[in-house]
Amino acid sequence: MSAADPMLPTLFVVRRVQRETPDVVSLELVAAEGETNFRFLPGQFNMLTVFGHGEVPMSITGDGARPDVLVHTTRAVGAVSEAICRLKTGDVVGIRGPYGTAWPIEEARGQDVVVVAGGMGLAPLRGALLAIQANRSKYGRFFLVYGARSPADLLYRRQLHQWRGRFDMGVHVTVDHAQTDWIGHVGLVTRLLPRLSFAPSDTVALVCGPEVMMRYAAMDLEKRGVDPGRIYLSMERNMKCGVGLCGHCQLGPHFICKDGPVFTARAMRPLMTVREL
Amino acid sequence: MSEHLRQAERGILARSDFDALLAELTARGYRIIGPVVRDAAIGYHDISCARDLPVGWSDEQQGGRYRLQPRDDASVFGFTVGANSLKPFLLPSQVSLWQAERQDRGWKILNRQAKTARPLAFVGVRACDLAAVAIHDRVLRDGTHADPTYCARRDGSFVVAVNCAQAASTCFCTSMGTGPRAVAGFDLALTELLDPDRHVFVVEAGSDAGRDVLAALPSAAATAADIDAAVAVSARAAAQVGRKLNTEGLPALLAASAEHPSWNEVALRCLSCGNCAQVCPTCFCTTATDCADLSGGFVERTRRWDSCFSVEYAHIHGGSVRPSTRARYRQWLTHKMGTWLAQFGSSGCVGCGRCITWCPVGIDLTAQARILQGATAKEGDHGNA
Amino acid sequence: METLERVLSEQAFMHGLRPEHVSILVGCATNVRFDAGEQLFAEGDEARQFFMIRQGHVLLETHVPGRGGVTVQTVGAGEILGWSWLVPPYEWRISARATELTRAIALDGTCLRHKCEADHDLGYEILKRFAHIINERLDAARMQLLDLYAKSAPARKGR
């Protein structure tokens, strides 16, 4: 969606609101005027405006093969995201995008793929998971390890069940806190990695979650033998424009909005270990 | 340098004919911006005639200090850089990005009136400020996405540069390769020659538009002696530049110095006020705020200048990524003199020295660079001229 | 039918041990099995054993008044469970319960401890391996403590 003025939003209407957890909502958006044909690559983001509240960067969390609907999954963590979580069917929002770099779906062909998601990190990865599933035969072994805070915070439950039912994909879920009625895994998401039988020298890893989690997950994957140039992370910083003009999203020399948000662990390692960079 | 001058279109404009230049620009529909004495400083404001200029004024600048000084001659441009650059005009401090009005359940983005503002003519632009505009062109105009506000003001603007005849103690353009002589990026460039019996400007055209304007002025031919005199003016100014910065290997050094103890020292003095970012001609960061009226039916998004010194600048859910002044000062300097190169192909600093002058505590970024390069604190010379 | 010796030798824990040390461990080992819901040990019990989980899933739980039973961590196939037998007062500090059919090799910790006192080479080998396990668990526990998926960090003061 490019406009002559990159700062003008395009209007979209909320078609459906899906409550994923008590504080997370998925919105299905369609164009306010005309046909919805929103093409994007999984990993990219939009700048989403809630009129009267503000604009925030939001990962696009839907299926890249379905340009007829735009999906965003949001957690209420601030003024604007709380406003997003209060939206109802029929409400109008502003969209600028898609911006940024994408998960290396094409480049990962022919290799084993390990997807490591922490907390909300599963949302920006969903499009990548769907894209790989849609072309499953082009990839080697395929795993998802997903860690959430507690069983109540698991996202996309229905899809998780579907994916667990597949015979061509390993799905492992863990939580940090649980009551004893949860009989699944409890503990750090990276503790699930030793269970996966992937060939480290022939693996691409997609990692998304809180920065500390990504740092340790990348370290563990590297210890296992995965090349840090083949471990991909999705980074996050404050954004005001999304198009490389406001300066806010800089991390070292990179603008997260145009050089990212998807970066290799190799590029990020020297930056992630500097305090307050 | 003189070879360049000989090949360009040039002429001599008498001091008494200076208003002809301004009148010509006005007749062509420009809004003229030039240096003016206001609020005890020289800065760019609207001008209409030569009388508006700081005739007979000079400035004295040091870390944390700016004073106007009267000259004992009638020099028109006998000063260096003031508090502002072209930035407030090309990248205004406050811009309305869009407005929206509620319609039933939805919203309508109102058509922005394309304001037919007069094109801008800048008179008296120093070489360092020219370099800064060239840097902003790369950042705001030549990237994947261009800023329409900047482009609208930049396109069709006319630049009359002035070659510095002196240097302030805070200047270091020679180290940054940006001055003191303007070599590109101008339509016309003036070098003031003030002798007891002659007060003229050597005018050099740097573009077709400049040649066009020059042709309409009552100018005389410039002699070889005039050209040499003009070049000598710049040489004298260059010789006066006392502040130096060794830029070789600086980006790599900054990247490797994230935990250098000297950042702690600077942080003890830095107020995180952001003055440096405000007066810096290349700082470009902005923020956007949405404001609704009381009824909630009308919303306006405004873009404002921002700087990495504000705590909210790097705020993500959970808090700021750079809560300490130490980290924010480090970010500003490392970006300006380090990562800018990887991002935009040049240093972000043009050596104008404004950040040193206008810092309330006189922090000198060249001194900080020297400390990182191995100088002791005394050699680094913080807070002194 | 697999001998206990062969099964034990295949455990990663055993790699690199001298044959005489392997024999000592075999001498301390028994095959055990727990049905779904069966408790392996309870908080406060004397810690006489540790387990090499071969198959299944065990949760480590503690009771928090007002919160009920809270699972702190789960342990699965290929992992070692329990080092309280190594550290005085040799008591379990947490309870463990199988959530599904779980097969493990149980090692007599009390017996092994005495053997380690007698043979310090063996003791060092055992301690090296447990240092590694404890280190990993501590790392993981610290990360869990960070509560990274919680909504927001406590407010930080900036200068």
Side-chain angles (χ1 to χ4, degrees), chain A residues 5 89 238 247-248 275-276, chain B residues 105 112 313 315 323-324 330:
Chain A
D5 183 349
T89 310
N238 187 297
H248 283 238
R275 272 184 313 141
E276 293 188 72
Chain B
R105 298 269 324 265
R112 284 167 67 197
Y313 180 87
H315 181 94
S324 73
R330 178 184 68 186

Side-chain angles (χ1 to χ4, degrees), chain A residues 20-262:
Chain A
E20 306 277 355
T21 77
D23 61 353
V24 177
V25 142
S26 281
L27 298 177
E28 283 182 19
L29 303 171
V30 291
E33 265 165 52
E35 228 181 76
T36 306
N37 188 21
F38 193 87
R39 299 203 171 273
F40 72 97
L41 297 170
Q44 291 190 301
F45 69 96
N46 282 330
M47 295 297 287
L48 194 158
T49 296
V50 182
F51 291 97
H53 292 270
E55 184 185 54
V56 286
M58 282 278 137
S59 290
I60 306 169
T61 62
D63 187 346
R66 294 278 316 276
D68 57 314
V69 63
L70 169 60
V71 184
H72 283 289
T73 304
T74 312
R75 187 180 188 193
V77 293
V80 181
S81 51
E82 276 173 21
I84 294 173
C85 289
R86 286 197 301 267
L87 289 170
K88 298 187 179 34
T89 310
D91 283 340
V92 170
V93 298
I95 294 287
R96 294 190 299 116
Y99 298 132
T101 54
W103 297 111
I105 307 295
E106 302 293 316
E107 296 90 320
R109 285 188 181 194
Q111 296 171 82
D112 291 349
V113 181
V114 175
V115 178
V116 185
M120 282 299 291
L122 183 59
L125 282 166
R126 179 160 69 166
L129 289 160
L130 294 170
I132 293 170
Q133 284 165 358
N135 247 315
R136 183 66 188 89
S137 58
K138 299 271 185 337
Y139 302 87
R141 282 162 288 200
F142 181 31
F143 301 98
L144 165 66
V145 289
Y146 168 40
R149 189 160 186 266
S150 75
D153 295 303
L154 289 168
L155 297 176
Y156 311 140
R157 252 170 251 259
R158 200 162 46 84
Q159 268 175 319
L160 276 177
H161 284 307
Q162 278 171 6
W163 296 340
R164 267 166 56 122
R166 293 174 70 114
F167 296 112
D168 58 2
M169 178 182 179
V171 176
H172 301 262
V173 175
T174 184
V175 293
D176 276 358
H177 309 278
Q179 302 296 108
T180 50
D181 54 353
W182 167 262
I183 59 167
H185 297 290
V186 175
L188 192 61
V189 65
T190 50
R191 286 190 62 220
L192 297 174
L193 289 175
R195 297 168 177 277
L196 313 180
S197 57
F198 55 90
S201 54
D202 216 12
T203 294
V204 167
L206 311 180
V207 182
C208 190
E211 197 169 309
V212 178
M213 170 249 162
M214 289 196 293
R215 202 162 83 216
Y216 282 97
M219 255 165 41
D220 280 358
L221 285 163
E222 234 184 294
K223 262 198 317 215
R224 180 92 176 253
V226 184
D227 187 312
R230 300 235 220 110
I231 302 171
Y232 293 84
L233 319 175
S234 182
M235 303 298 290
E236 191 187 331
R237 281 294 184 273
N238 187 297
M239 287 185 191
K240 287 287 186 274
C241 73
V243 290
L245 298 172
C246 76
H248 283 238
C249 67
Q250 291 174 77
L251 171 60
H254 308 289
F255 284 83
I256 305 280
C257 69
K258 48 179 189 159
D259 305 318
V262 176

Side-chain angles (χ1 to χ4, degrees), chain B residues 26-257:
Chain B
T26 306
R28 286 165 188 252
Y30 289 102
R31 171 187 167 203
I32 310 179
I33 307 292
V36 165
V37 171
R38 189 176 298 181
D39 297 333
I42 295 172
Y44 292 109
H45 296 280
D46 286 273
I47 61 168
S48 52
C49 61
R51 249 187 349 212
D52 296 333
L53 296 166
V55 177
W57 282 103
S58 180
D59 56 57
E60 184 230 311
Q61 302 191 39
Q62 280 178 44
R65 182 185 164 88
Y66 181 102
R67 293 289 184 277
L68 284 179
Q69 300 289 351
R71 298 180 66 95
D72 55 10
D73 62 30
S75 187
V76 179
F77 295 105
F79 49 91
T80 58
V81 290
N84 62 4
S85 57
L86 304 197
K87 187 166 85 169
F89 302 96
L90 296 176
L91 185 66
S93 60
Q94 195 165 307
V95 171
S96 173
L97 292 176
W98 50 257
Q99 297 156 353
E101 205 169 55
R102 196 194 285 278
Q103 283 193 333
D104 306 314
R105 298 269 324 265
W107 290 84
K108 177 173 192 274
I109 301 201
L110 304 174
N111 279 330
R112 284 167 67 197
Q113 306 283 8
K115 277 181 233 132
T116 43
R118 282 181 296 157
L120 297 161
F122 299 102
V123 173
V125 184
R126 307 294 170 160
C128 53
D129 282 347
L130 281 183
V133 173
I135 286 174
H136 269 185
D137 285 347
R138 272 196 290 282
V139 176
L140 302 169
R141 187 190 67 184
D142 302 336
T144 322
H145 291 102
D147 169 23
T149 305
Y150 179 83
C151 291
R153 286 156 176 261
R154 178 75 174 109
D155 293 342
S157 62
F158 191 94
V159 176
V160 180
V162 158
N163 289 309
C164 293
Q166 65 199 58
S169 79
T170 47
C171 295
F172 57 101
C173 59
T174 50
S175 295
M176 307 312 294
T178 54
R181 189 156 192 89
V183 296
F186 55 82
D187 296 295
L188 291 173
L190 310 175
T191 310
E192 188 169 12
L193 299 179
L194 178 52
D195 298 310
D197 56 339
R198 190 177 180 237
H199 190 178
V200 300
F201 295 90
V202 177
V203 184
E204 182 195 339
S207 71
D208 289 337
R211 273 180 274 279
D212 209 44
V213 168
L214 178 55
L217 298 180
S219 62
T223 66
D226 292 330
I227 309 290
D228 289 344
V231 171
V233 164
S234 297
R236 271 197 306 275
Q240 277 186 22
V241 174
R243 196 170 297 263
K244 297 284 161 65
L245 173 69
N246 179 8
T247 58
E248 185 163 332
L250 193 48
L253 176 65
L254 283 163
S257 303

Side-chain angles (χ1 to χ4, degrees), chain A residues 23 75-77 118-119 147-149 176-180 182-189 191 195 210 212-213 216, chain C residues 57 59 61 67-77 79 97 99 137 139-140 143-144 146-151:
Chain A
D23 61 353
R75 187 180 188 193
V77 293
R149 189 160 186 266
D176 276 358
H177 309 278
Q179 302 296 108
T180 50
W182 167 262
I183 59 167
H185 297 290
V186 175
L188 192 61
V189 65
R191 286 190 62 220
R195 297 168 177 277
V212 178
M213 170 249 162
Y216 282 97
Chain C
H57 197 238
L59 58 77
E61 58 179 337
R67 276 169 63 186
V70 176
T71 304
V72 171
Q73 201 171 63
T74 56
V75 176
E79 296 185 295
R97 180 156 54 89
T99 61
R137 297 284 163 82
D139 263 353
M143 290 292 289
Q144 260 170 280
L146 282 176
D147 206 10
L148 291 171
Y149 309 140
K151 231 192 259 209

